[in-house]
Every structure is written in C-alpha cells, then in structure tokens.
Amino acid sequence: MAKTIIPIGPYHPLQEEPEFFILTVEGETVVDIDLRIGYNHRGIEKLCEQQTYDQVTFVVERVCGICSTSHPFAYTQAVEDILSIEAPPRAQYIRTIIAEGERLHSHLLWLGLAGHFLGYNTIFMWAWKLREEILDVMEILSGNRNNYAMFKVGGVLRDIKKEDIPTVQKKVDSIVPTLKKLRSAVMDDPVLHARTKGIGVLSREAAIDYCAVGPTARASGVARDIRKNSPYGVYDQVDWNMVVTENGDVFDKVLVRLGEMFESVKIITACLSQLPEGEIDCHITEVPPGEGIGHIEAPRGECFHYVRSDGTNRPERHKIRAPTFMNLPTFKKTVIGGKIPDTVITLAAIDPCYCCTERMTVQDLKGQKLYTGEDLIRLSQEKTDQIIAEMRR
Amino acid sequence: MRLLEKVFLKSLWVFHLATGSCNNCDIEILDCLTPRHDIERFGMLLTGSIKHADVLMVTGAVNRQCIPRIKRVYEQMPKPRLVVAIGECALSRGVFMQSYNCPMPLDHVIPVDVYIPGCPPRPEAIMAGLLKLIERRKENRAETGRENDSR
Ligand code: SF4
C-alpha cells in the first residue's frame, strides 16, 4: 500500500514548545512519526544572560503561559542553590499554594481540550468554566489571572492576606463537587472508554527508556514525581498521595490528571490551614560565583533549570529543560501502529499537543489528498459518533 | 458593498495565529469562548481556516521563522479583513524586546487595526477591543457615507 506523509504543525497555539510532526501512514495505520522542534524559538536562555537576577524571574515566567509558576519556581531554586539558602517557611507555603493552583488550572485546561478533540464539547465547556474559579483564586492571591509574578529569588513578592484565606478556601472547596461530577462523567461513559482505553499505550519499559516525566510516566506505572522523590517547597510537610496507574493508555493519563486535581485541592487546603507567620523574603543582595540547579514537578512533569553565576548581577549561563521536551519522543511508541482518528487524542494525551491538531494537514506523497487539521478533528469526532451509534444498536 | 459591510460587522469570524507567544494570550482568546465570557453572543466565532476568517488575531513576539508565514496567512485572507494584535508581545515584543530572534513588532510586518495591550489581556479586554473595532467602523461609515478602504 502506498505510504502517505502527514505533516502536523509547526504552529499551533496554546503550548510551550511548538513542534512539527511528520506522520507516515499506510491507509489508516500510522507507520512512522518524525519530529522537529524549535519553531517558537525566542532565545530565552540567551535573553536571560542579558538580564539581572531579579528580571530573569519575569522572563522565565513567559517561557510558557500555562507553566508560569513552574519556571520561576525552578529558577529561584537554582539561584538559591548557588547561595545555599532556603526561602523563609511562609514563602515556601505561598509558593506551594500557587504551584498547586497552577496544576489545577493546567489539568482542567487539558481535560477540556481533550474532551473537545473527542467530540465532547460539553466537557470542554464544563472544564473551562470550572477553570475560571481557579483563575479567580489566583487573581485574589496574586492580582493576575495568569503570569502571577509571585516569585523572587529568596522568597515571594506578595503575601497572602489573612482576610483572603476564607474566600480562597471556599472557592477551592466549591470546585470539588463539580470535579467529582466530571470524574464520574469520564469513568461511567462507555463511549469515552471505547475511545481512550488501549489507545496510545506507553509501556512501563518504554516510559523508562524514553525518560518520560510527569503524568505521562505515572500513567505507565513509573512512580516518578519530584514532589515526592526530592521534595521542595513544603510538599514533605503536607499529606498527599502520588497518583500512579498501570496501563499507560490515554484513559489512564486522564485518570492520573483527574486524581492529581483532587490531591492539589488537598495540598492547597492543608497549606492554607498550616500557613505559618513570619517573613516572606530573605533580602538577597548579591549572588556569589558558583552553579546551581533547581528542579520541580510542573503540571506536565519535571522542569529543570541550571544557572551558573560568575559573581556579577547577571547569570553567566542559564539552561532550561521543559517537561514536554522529554515527553515528545514517546510518540514514537504511542502513535505508531495506531489509527489516524486516534492520533489526535494520543498526541493530546501527553499534554503538549492539543493544539497541534488545529494546524494539521494530511497529504499523500503525490499531493493528491489533502486533509486539514479540521478534518482530522472531524474524523476523531466522527469516530465517537460512530461508537455511540453502534452502542445504541 | 454597503450590504457586505453591514453583514460583515454582524458576524466576525476570527482566526487565531500564534507567532511565538507564551500561550497565555492564546488561552485568554479561547477563554472568551467559554461560558463565563461567551463571545459568541456577539456573533464572533473562532474558525480553523484562514479562508473563512474576517479577523486575524495575532499573538506573540513575531520571530524570524514566523515573519514569512504571517505574510502568507495575511495574503490568503479574503477581504475585507481586520487584524488585531493581542498582548504586549505582538504590540512591542514585551520582555522579548532584546531577543536575537524577534527582530520587529507585528505592525512592521502587516498592517494592524486594533492593539489590545496586556500581558496577557483579560478576556474582557479582548472583547472590548473587538467591540470597539466594530463600533468604529460603523461610525466611520455613518460619517463619511462611504466604505472604509477594505484593505
Ligand atoms: S503578551 Fe505576555 S502573555 Fe501574551 S504571549 Fe506575550 S508574554 Fe505571553
């Protein structure tokens, strides 16, 4: 059978690292996938070397809008590693609260888009409506809906006011019933099971071989979570569980993320009730020569920053490794052998890629056949309709 | 043409182009569609194809790889067409001003009709910007009694 090449990308909104996929298909089956990255290049690492330590926090915040806490968090840890200091306890608590709020909104965002690609726009609307509540919480805490600007080397920039805590707690609690409803909607729906179970399976061995991180690895039974393995912030002082599942398919990745949202609520509640009094900043004046690393668990997996200082007020070298960089190559395992309508959700399952589908084109080698991204989403949604129709019969 | 302009402003279809953004602006655009803001009540709809679009919403600090692609997308747009620059990045490149890969702001690449500042702008700001755009075009038409030049 003739092989068909499907280029996907490179530009798709909503994601930290746009990339360009080249799918090779035979009929309906995907036989190969290739990957190019570097389309959204803004030269951030170089830019960081031109900024002072205080300014860099704001630049790394804009590496990715969805992870706008993870990058400053990892960066401040790296600089604090050079200084061999730790932020004051109250600052650590505040950082943890913000980081978990971000995880909640990021997972909801993903869930909504995954629902959309499967033809469940109701889930999209529900999840994004719920996400607004989280954004309200973030706005109360930091003054911004996104790009919170809370981080600072040696502490945080803003304190949490006492009178805000009850409101925040109420808002966070109020999302739990809806989250439960969402979870049961996903768990009980036979169509969703049919669309996601056994699709895009990443085995445990493959997850380890490809160094998968975050929910992608945890869905394959690899118990890897920086928050537990190498605790930072106050994750070792509050009670929470790592969510790990065994099968590695798309369904399990949904389960892991749904589970983590409940854990995040738990962590935020515990942090708010245990919030100690005291300083929120330890007033750093200069950074000595040396090198430091910081790694944290972003919503998508491990986010790693390396900073080398030469004693001036700017970093000499700043290296960033975002989680998606590690997760992307797993497509080699998950997509190959799958069907075209399933690629959309498989690519979306690691959470970089819900948007690449918007700019997908399917083209056969001789250029006779042309599908657009919309067609692919339509194919995916049609498959869901088909399953529904079959089940009714 | 009069009729076209009238119909045009009743229901704007929007195409969204990210040109090296940090995603937040893009998410806020999507947010406009969701129940709390619901931009569809103004007749606006996000479309997946540039050939169906009336408005091009551009986010991000235009990077070198994007420049030819932005031009191409703009040329493929049917007239009349409007361009909205969203976020500090598209307006002036924001924090990426000194980056070696972001040589110029968006309005040096294609003509821009509306600038919506903010990093990211709130969904309310995006909606307000679009509504102002519609208002202004309507006023222009009433004042001059003729069509805007539909670039
Ligand atoms: S303006 Fe701000 S939020 Fe928007 S893309 Fe640029 S850095 Fe991100």
Side-chain angles (χ1 to χ4, degrees), chain A residues 111-249:
Chain A
L111 190 67
L113 287 160
H116 169 68
F117 292 141
L118 288 174
Y120 275 76
N121 272 324
T122 325
I123 292 189
F124 173 61
M125 292 296 173
W126 266 24
W128 281 60
K129 192 172 159 205
L130 201 54
R131 185 176 160 266
E132 287 292 323
E133 299 294 321
I134 308 292
L135 293 185
D136 283 349
V137 169
M138 300 314 259
E139 200 173 349
I140 294 171
L141 295 180
S142 75
N144 298 322
R145 285 163 57 89
N146 317 78
N147 287 351
Y148 317 109
M150 285 292 270
F151 283 73
K152 176 175 194 291
V153 176
V156 288
L157 278 171
R158 295 185 200 87
D159 205 350
I160 293 183
K161 290 200 207 84
K162 245 209 188 85
E163 57 269 28
D164 285 342
I165 295 180
T167 332
V168 169
Q169 186 62 55
K170 218 169 89 198
K171 282 239 175 212
V172 172
D173 288 342
S174 75
I175 71 159
V176 175
T178 328
L179 262 185
K180 282 196 177 132
K181 236 200 254 170
L182 259 178
R183 182 169 66 179
S184 51
V186 172
M187 302 281 277
D188 298 344
D189 192 320
V191 182
L192 272 185
H193 281 231
R195 272 316 300 277
T196 56
K197 276 216 165 137
I199 303 290
V201 180
L202 182 70
S203 65
R204 188 164 191 277
E205 293 70 39
I208 293 172
D209 285 350
Y210 280 83
C211 299
V213 290
T216 313
R218 290 198 285 279
S220 303
V222 184
R224 196 183 277 165
D225 190 326
I226 311 298
R227 293 175 291 170
K228 275 268 192 258
N229 301 145
S230 143
Y232 57 94
V234 291
Y235 287 110
D236 47 352
Q237 288 161 43
V238 292
D239 174 40
W240 64 281
N241 304 314
M242 195 193 311
V243 186
V244 182
T245 56
E246 291 303 322
N247 302 324
D249 53 7

Side-chain angles (χ1 to χ4, degrees), chain A residues 42 62 65 146-147, chain B residues 20-26 59-61 86-90 93-96 118-121:
Chain A
R42 283 158 290 162
R62 284 155 181 80
N146 317 78
N147 287 351
Chain B
S21 65
C22 81
N23 303 338
N24 257 345
C25 284
D26 318 88
T59 60
I86 294 190
E88 219 52 67
C89 280
R93 291 167 286 160
V95 294
F96 305 113
C119 185

Side-chain angles (χ1 to χ4, degrees), chain A residues 315-387:
Chain A
E316 191 193 358
R317 175 83 176 95
H318 187 175
K319 164 87 188 125
I320 303 172
R321 198 197 71 189
T324 307
F325 188 71
M326 303 311 293
N327 283 338
L328 279 176
T330 61
F331 288 158
K332 275 251 181 231
K333 279 274 173 242
T334 54
V335 173
I336 293 174
K339 301 277 183 252
I340 298 178
D342 292 333
T343 42
V344 176
I345 188 64
T346 311
L347 295 181
I350 72 156
D351 194 4
C353 232
Y354 26 75
C355 34
C356 59
T357 44
E358 288 199 343
R359 323 203 117 251
M360 267 191 191
T361 346
V362 181
Q363 188 165 26
D364 123 349
L365 269 180
K366 291 177 202 125
Q368 294 154 339
K369 212 194 284 171
L370 202 83
Y371 298 116
T372 63
E374 276 182 348
D375 289 334
L376 280 179
I377 297 180
R378 203 198 60 231
L379 274 179
S380 170
Q381 295 180 345
E382 269 169 11
K383 186 170 173 189
T384 307
D385 292 342
Q386 236 173 36
I387 293 176

